[in-house]
Amino acid sequence: MNHSKQTPSRLAEAILSWFCKGNLLEEILGDLQEYQKDLVDKPSWKRPILYWFNVFQFLRPSLAKQLSGTKKLNNYGMLKIYFKSSSRNFFKHRLISSMSLLSLVFGALCFHLVYVWINNEDEMDRFHKNVDAIHMSQAKFNPQSDFEPLSLQMFFGMDFTQFTHIRSALMIHTYYQGQIELITENRDFNGKGCVVDSTFFEFFDFKLNNGETKNLLTNPSNIILSHEYAEKVFGDTNPIGRTVQIRCDQTGTYQVAGVLEKIPSNSSISFDFLIPRHSRNFWAKIPQEFILVDSSFDPIDFNNQIAEMGRANSRHKESILSSIPFTSLYLEHPFDLSLFEKQGDSSSISTMKFIAVVILLITLLCFTGLQITLHLSSTRKMGVKRVIGATKWNLFVEVMVSRLHYLLISTVMAYLLFSWIFPWYTSIMEIQIDRNYMMDLKSILIVITSVTGISAIFIVAQLFKVEVKEALTNKLIFLQVPKIQRLLTTIQYSVTIVLIVGTVVVFSQFNFMINKDTGLDHERIISVDFLDMENRDDSEEEVQNQQKNFQYLVNQMMQNPDIVDVSQGELPISSIASPASWKRMGSDSEYTSQNHMTVDTRYDDILGIELIQGRFFSDSLDRSRQNKVVINEAAYKYWEFSDLKDAKLANTHWGGEEDPWRVIGVVKDYHYEHLSNEIKPLILLFLQDNEEGFLVKAQPGKVMKSVSFLEQLYKEVNPKGIFEYDLLEDKVEAQYTKEKRVGKVYLAFTVVALLLSSIGLFTFAFHETKRRTKEIGIRKINGAGVYQIFSMLSFSFLKSIIIAFVVACPVSWYFMNKWLENFAYRADIGWWLFVLTGLISVLVAMIAISWQTLDVARKNPVESLRYE
């Protein structure tokens, strides 16, 4: 609705013109226009609700066109009759009506639960008005390596001002938790901090609680907090103007200049505070770089222009420079960057869209099947109406009015149920979605309107085919169930069986990944950070104190009987390994991007890494940062080493070919990434720093006792800090959150699909048993027992399930195999899976039809013969 024009909606005007008296219409529309002017100051989401509420207040009998006084009923009178008739039919056929309502409510609810997730993914970062004009810089050091997110200004001296279509540039240094601290009132708080240029708010539209973001980052002494972090640090106190300190590789004192509104759930970027980049001359974290372009910017032409500009640097003669659209980073996630809190997945979105379509289809089939059953039982009534003068148009209006009952009731019920279940849904699914109340109502209303409308058109088309004579003699009640209803039931169960197979496969793959032997010992390993990052301005005395603290911590942990071993190094989980350019010395190969991780001399023992050649790092033979490496089997094969005697590697950043790294050992391949990836070459570097986190292995059954000890030790060394720890088992399992989430979705909506399909089958059985009641009475008189009758009826229903199973098996096998292709290591789809699915389908089907079939089979044959 366009409120700026200050005129009533055309739809509202049409409704009022059709319903209200002509002599009152002009005055009503004038009042409505005046009321609309009063809504200007109301929130935008509230205006249409209040406006239409006011419109509906005019739809009352005192303002309606003539209601009586003629022999022929007017429109309003006919509608009253249709509504009364529809209400009577609803309560007369309570069973089918209730099930129809249930199918609409659950169908709309489930569809909308999926839709809000899909919409959140599709709208990711779309609240930034310049999102399509943002690009990220990237480069690779030779044609064989992979692109890395690098600052072209910092590494290659790029001057973006020479490009007419680039409006601005931005660099962001990201410090995640454990790398930076905010200190206030003698308390230390971990957080995720971003050190940004003053142009940050030209790129990204994060809003302040109060005031404007313009020029806020130009003052080097300012700091901006997120809404959640401000509450964590300052509680209910106003933080504006408060002084805080920052400690990482730099230290500094800042003043809180602003607090942002809550970061939207559809933001892939998340942080706790923003620091002006120009407040210090140097920040140790490698920055990400973004450029803001105008509408005439051609990304292909730009990438061609800059591709070889980095080759002027003698160390990067084969480098290739490029850029990538910001909008592609979320779904494609070509880089693992700490700046981005979330990563999307196009396959998950496709899966969710498939589930949404399936739920909508099953809802439509179920509701239509139920309504077919209901209208078959009303054929005589329809025939009488046709005889006394009702036209096909009257029948059509009556059907549509009956759908309006379902529409209104189910919309309210589905909306209220969604409001109640939404917090639970987001918690179980481990997702963040901001509610949009008008979108929720609109989506639910559209789904229910579509289902009821399509089913109504289908039902009317069937009714128009019925002859008046057949309707009056009620022959249709005793006809066989229409083939279309059998077909709908079969399609419903086919789709449901596909979902059942999908659920079993997803959970099988999840359990396979969680339980697969990765080549490492993940059990009872605790990760904890004790010491702050070393400050670049620390005095020699402070460095010595840190060394003493480090030795004290190691001694205390090793002396604890509940602790088996202590090490330092990076956790072997996804996104931890860092890429760098390496090449084999003495070969014609070029530098390629390969993963490396930092370890110490106890790393192999604590994780159970198996050595197959050479040796691991040793305290007596090796020193930290010495040019020695240990590689895995994949790296050994990749560089085609035949002997470790002369095995050496060069790194573009650390010495190059003039100062190569000697390979001293080879370890057996182990999984350090998600199991969707093949094991890649890995280089282990001995880099030991006091501030690095510790890996602590506890005795069996002593994990939580060890955690309590570590907490006490932490408070002893960091009395102002907040103790935090991770269990390696939990971190490994967290890698598969996406698969776990998909499994939950499949399970939840498979249960709903089974419920809706069972409702459809129940009504199928209801009509079929009613139709064959007299036949069953005759069979019983001729000697048929309850078991024989039950078997005969059950088999007629189960034929549809068997056909559905035959159709669904190849379809589900194909789609699940396509899904499993995303994993380098996958569970097998065995024959048992389809047998299990078939048994579940038959069991649910038998439960759905047993009540009806047993009731008819046990009925007294005299009652059956009297039935009509």
Side-chain angles (χ1 to χ4, degrees):
M1 188 189 316
N2 190 345
H3 292 279
S4 62
K5 294 182 180 180
Q6 297 298 322
T7 57
S9 160
R10 289 184 179 180
L11 178 59
E13 185 176 350
I15 293 174
L16 294 172
S17 300
W18 176 81
F19 180 84
C20 297
K21 295 177 181 178
N23 59 331
L24 299 176
L25 183 61
E26 185 177 353
E27 184 179 350
I28 290 172
L29 293 178
D31 291 344
L32 187 61
Q33 185 175 347
E34 290 298 322
Y35 180 75
Q36 192 173 8
K37 291 179 181 178
D38 296 336
L39 295 177
V40 174
D41 297 330
K42 300 292 183 182
S44 58
W45 66 269
K46 203 172 183 180
R47 291 176 202 159
I49 298 176
L50 294 173
Y51 177 81
W52 280 101
F53 181 77
N54 192 60
V55 169
F56 289 132
Q57 285 185 317
F58 291 114
L59 304 180
R60 55 183 186 266
S62 60
L63 302 179
K65 293 179 180 178
Q66 186 178 2
L67 304 180
S68 59
T70 63
K71 296 181 180 180
K72 193 173 182 179
L73 286 173
N74 55 48
N75 293 333
Y76 180 76
M78 287 300 297
L79 285 177
K80 283 182 64 177
I81 291 175
Y82 289 150
F83 270 104
K84 287 182 180 179
S85 176
S86 176
S87 299
R88 291 194 193 102
N89 283 334
F90 187 92
F91 290 104
K92 180 180 179 181
H93 304 282
R94 287 186 295 273
L95 180 62
I96 297 178
S97 298
S98 299
M99 289 187 172
S100 298
L101 196 61
L102 189 67
S103 66
L104 278 177
V105 171
F106 276 100
L109 172 66
C110 292
F111 178 88
H112 187 60
L113 287 172
V114 178
Y115 172 75
V116 293
W117 185 89
I118 294 173
N119 183 69
N120 193 70
E121 294 292 292
D122 287 341
E123 294 296 316
M124 189 61 64
D125 296 313
R126 285 289 163 188
F127 65 95
H128 303 301
K129 65 177 182 294
N130 291 324
V131 66
D132 292 317
I134 302 174
H135 294 251
M136 173 184 273
S137 301
Q138 61 178 0
K140 58 181 179 179
F141 295 101
N142 59 72
Q144 288 74 38
S145 63
D146 296 327
F147 275 108
E148 300 176 35
L150 291 176
S151 169
L152 304 188
Q153 298 177 90
M154 179 177 291
F155 281 87
F156 301 98
M158 178 74 72
D159 180 12
F160 287 121
T161 60
Q162 65 179 302
F163 299 97
T164 56
H165 299 302
I166 294 180
R167 294 158 51 189
S168 186
L170 166 68
M171 279 198 278
I172 302 177
H173 306 259
T174 307
Y175 292 80
Y176 50 81
Q177 289 200 9
Q179 295 181 326
I180 192 168
E181 290 180 330
L182 183 145
I183 306 165
T184 180
E185 298 180 351
N186 296 321
R187 293 193 67 193
D188 299 352
F189 294 89
N190 282 321
K192 180 180 177 181
C194 290
V195 181
V196 302
D197 286 326
S198 59
T199 56
F200 180 82
F201 290 112
E202 295 178 25
F203 286 72
F204 303 112
D205 295 315
F206 297 105
K207 298 180 180 179
L208 288 176
N209 279 339
N210 292 297
E212 295 291 333
T213 56
K214 187 177 181 181
N215 300 325
L216 202 59
L217 289 168
T218 55
N219 188 336
S221 63
N222 285 348
I223 187 172
I224 301 173
L225 308 182
S226 71
H227 176 79
E228 296 83 354
Y229 195 70
E231 287 187 343
K232 175 183 175 181
V233 176
F234 296 101
D236 296 330
T237 306
N238 183 7
I240 302 298
R242 301 287 291 272
T243 300
V244 299
Q245 288 182 310
I246 292 296
R247 181 166 59 198
C248 54
D249 54 85
Q250 296 287 346
T251 59
T253 301
Y254 297 86
Q255 185 179 62
V256 178
V259 175
L260 298 174
E261 293 180 0
K262 181 183 176 183
I263 295 177
S265 64
N266 61 332
S267 173
S268 61
I269 295 176
S270 180
F271 49 84
D272 292 316
F273 47 87
L274 299 174
I275 305 169
R277 184 167 171 267
H278 58 285
S279 63
R280 292 293 179 272
N281 292 328
F282 177 85
W283 299 93
K285 298 295 291 183
I286 296 175
Q288 282 83 57
E289 182 179 72
F290 300 92
I291 56 173
L292 187 66
V293 302
D294 61 23
S295 57
S296 301
F297 177 78
D298 184 343
I300 297 177
D301 181 61
F302 174 73
N303 289 339
N304 289 334
Q305 287 184 57
I306 68 171
E308 298 182 1
M309 284 187 175
R311 299 181 181 182
N313 187 322
S314 59
R315 296 187 60 188
H316 307 300
K317 293 182 178 180
E318 294 183 300
S319 62
I320 300 174
L321 312 186
S322 180
S323 67
I324 182 173
F326 178 81
T327 51
S328 67
L329 295 175
Y330 178 70
L331 288 180
E332 297 178 12
H333 44 87
F335 318 115
D336 291 321
L337 300 175
S338 54
L339 173 63
F340 296 92
E341 192 72 18
K342 303 173 185 177
Q343 289 184 345
D345 180 57
S346 55
S347 64
S348 293
I349 295 176
S350 299
T351 299
M352 295 293 272
K353 288 181 178 178
F354 168 75
I355 290 175
V357 172
V358 166
I359 291 296
L360 188 61
L361 177 63
I362 289 178
T363 303
L364 176 61
L365 295 174
C366 181
F367 183 76
T368 303
L370 287 162
Q371 293 302 302
I372 287 175
T373 302
L374 181 62
H375 283 282
L376 281 173
S377 61
S378 304
T379 50
R380 179 175 292 174
K381 176 182 172 183
M382 179 194 69
V384 172
K385 289 183 178 181
R386 292 285 297 276
V387 168
I388 62 176
T391 64
K392 289 184 177 181
W393 169 253
N394 296 135
L395 296 178
F396 173 76
V397 173
E398 184 175 0
V399 171
M400 298 306 293
V401 169
S402 69
R403 292 303 178 275
L404 189 58
H405 264 88
Y406 289 110
L407 174 66
L408 296 175
I409 297 172
S410 59
T411 298
V412 173
M413 291 178 64
Y415 184 81
L416 294 176
L417 188 58
F418 174 80
S419 299
W420 176 71
I421 207 173
F422 182 75
W424 174 83
Y425 170 73
T426 53
S427 175
I428 294 296
M429 294 295 294
E430 300 175 16
I431 54 179
Q432 292 180 339
I433 300 176
D434 296 331
R435 277 206 67 181
N436 184 326
Y437 295 92
M438 282 304 299
M439 186 198 74
D440 295 337
L441 181 60
K442 187 186 297 183
S443 171
I444 291 172
L445 186 60
I446 289 173
V447 171
I448 295 177
T449 302
S450 300
V451 172
T452 53
I454 293 172
S455 68
I457 293 172
F458 181 81
I459 295 296
V460 168
Q462 296 297 312
L463 290 177
F464 284 0
K465 296 178 181 179
V466 177
E467 297 294 333
V468 176
K469 183 179 179 181
E470 289 179 337
L472 287 174
T473 56
N474 213 22
K475 286 183 179 180
L476 292 181
I477 292 180
F478 302 102
L479 294 176
Q480 291 187 359
V481 175
K483 292 181 180 179
I484 186 63
Q485 192 170 4
R486 292 181 183 273
L487 178 61
L488 294 179
T489 303
T490 303
I491 294 174
Q492 275 182 274
Y493 261 92
S494 295
V495 176
T496 303
I497 289 169
V498 171
L499 279 181
I500 295 174
V501 173
T503 301
V504 177
V505 169
V506 170
F507 273 104
S508 296
Q509 179 65 18
F510 176 72
N511 290 328
F512 171 81
M513 291 186 295
I514 292 298
N515 298 315
K516 180 175 171 55
D517 181 12
T518 62
L520 295 174
D521 184 6
H522 297 141
E523 296 182 351
R524 312 187 311 278
I525 294 180
I526 307 161
S527 172
V528 59
D529 288 341
F530 280 103
L531 301 175
D532 298 328
M533 290 193 66
E534 183 179 350
N535 193 287
R536 301 179 68 88
D537 298 326
D538 279 344
S539 63
E540 184 177 346
E541 180 182 357
E542 183 63 26
V543 172
Q544 290 177 354
N545 287 336
Q546 282 201 346
Q547 182 63 29
K548 288 179 181 179
N549 284 337
F550 175 79
Q551 290 300 331
Y552 174 75
L553 288 168
V554 173
N555 293 336
Q556 289 295 309
M557 287 186 285
M558 292 301 295
Q559 291 172 13
N560 189 304
D562 297 325
I563 293 176
V564 177
D565 207 348
V566 178
S567 173
Q568 281 185 302
E570 294 176 307
L571 291 174
I573 56 176
S574 294
S575 304
I576 294 297
S578 303
S581 294
W582 297 83
K583 68 171 290 186
R584 174 184 171 177
M585 290 293 295
S587 72
D588 295 330
S589 62
E590 299 295 338
Y591 285 98
T592 57
S593 182
Q594 303 298 341
N595 290 329
H596 70 265
M597 297 174 68
T598 59
V599 301
D600 71 353
T601 56
R602 302 291 301 165
Y603 192 80
D604 60 331
D605 292 330
I606 200 169
L607 289 173
I609 297 174
E610 184 179 341
L611 188 71
I612 59 175
Q613 281 194 63
R615 64 178 179 84
F616 204 74
F617 299 111
S618 166
D619 288 325
S620 59
L621 300 175
D622 307 306
R623 300 190 313 275
S624 175
R625 289 178 168 77
Q626 201 173 19
N627 281 25
K628 297 177 183 179
V629 297
V630 173
I631 63 176
N632 67 351
E633 286 180 284
Y636 187 82
K637 295 174 183 176
Y638 176 78
W639 279 301
E640 299 178 342
F641 290 123
S642 58
D643 191 346
L644 290 185
K645 182 179 179 181
D646 298 316
K648 294 182 181 180
L649 295 173
N651 182 279
T652 54
H653 298 294
W654 302 317
E657 297 183 48
E658 294 78 19
D659 191 13
W661 296 62
R662 183 160 63 91
V663 180
I664 63 172
V666 180
V667 296
K668 188 175 181 180
D669 280 341
Y670 60 86
H671 293 279
Y672 63 93
E673 291 185 312
H674 193 286
L675 282 173
S676 60
N677 303 318
E678 295 276 1
I679 296 178
K680 300 174 184 176
L682 178 66
I683 302 160
L684 302 179
L685 312 177
F686 179 19
L687 302 177
Q688 190 174 44
D689 293 306
N690 294 340
E691 70 272 9
E692 287 293 333
F694 286 93
L695 300 180
V696 180
K697 186 162 189 173
Q699 295 281 4
K702 302 291 185 180
V703 173
M704 297 316 298
K705 188 175 180 182
S706 298
V707 169
S708 298
F709 166 76
L710 294 173
E711 184 175 9
Q712 294 174 0
L713 191 60
Y714 181 90
K715 290 180 178 178
E716 183 180 344
V717 178
N718 299 291
K720 300 176 184 178
I722 300 174
F723 176 73
E724 295 177 338
Y725 73 95
D726 290 306
L727 296 177
L728 180 56
E729 288 178 279
D730 294 341
K731 298 293 284 185
V732 171
E733 184 172 343
Q735 294 179 149
Y736 306 106
T737 300
K738 181 184 71 176
E739 288 74 27
K740 188 177 180 180
R741 183 186 300 136
V742 171
K744 289 178 180 177
V745 170
Y746 265 106
L747 179 61
F749 296 123
T750 296
V751 171
V752 173
L754 268 175
L755 174 64
L756 295 177
S757 297
S758 299
I759 290 174
L761 187 61
F762 177 85
T763 54
F764 183 4
F766 176 81
H767 180 79
E768 183 74 351
T769 51
K770 295 297 182 184
R771 182 183 71 83
R772 302 179 68 176
T773 299
K774 187 171 290 186
E775 173 195 342
I776 291 167
I778 296 172
R779 287 179 181 272
K780 293 190 72 173
I781 288 175
N782 289 329
V786 173
Y787 175 76
Q788 292 173 305
I789 299 296
F790 177 75
S791 301
M792 177 192 69
L793 292 173
S794 298
F795 181 72
S796 67
F797 304 133
L798 290 178
K799 283 191 295 185
S800 297
I801 309 304
I802 294 171
I803 295 172
F805 178 75
V806 172
V807 171
C809 282
V811 174
S812 56
W813 182 88
Y814 172 79
F815 281 111
M816 287 300 100
N817 266 289
K818 295 293 288 184
W819 183 75
L820 287 172
E821 286 178 2
N822 295 315
F823 300 90
Y825 306 91
R826 63 193 72 136
D828 294 327
I829 302 181
W831 59 269
W832 62 269
L833 189 151
F834 296 98
V835 173
L836 176 64
T837 302
L839 291 175
I840 292 174
S841 304
V842 171
L843 177 63
V844 173
M846 291 302 296
I847 293 173
I849 64 177
S850 291
W851 180 65
Q852 289 291 330
T853 51
L854 284 174
D855 180 61
V856 174
R858 289 173 178 171
K859 187 174 289 187
N860 189 313
V862 176
E863 294 180 13
S864 299
L865 289 172
R866 288 176 177 173
Y867 176 81
E868 187 171 309

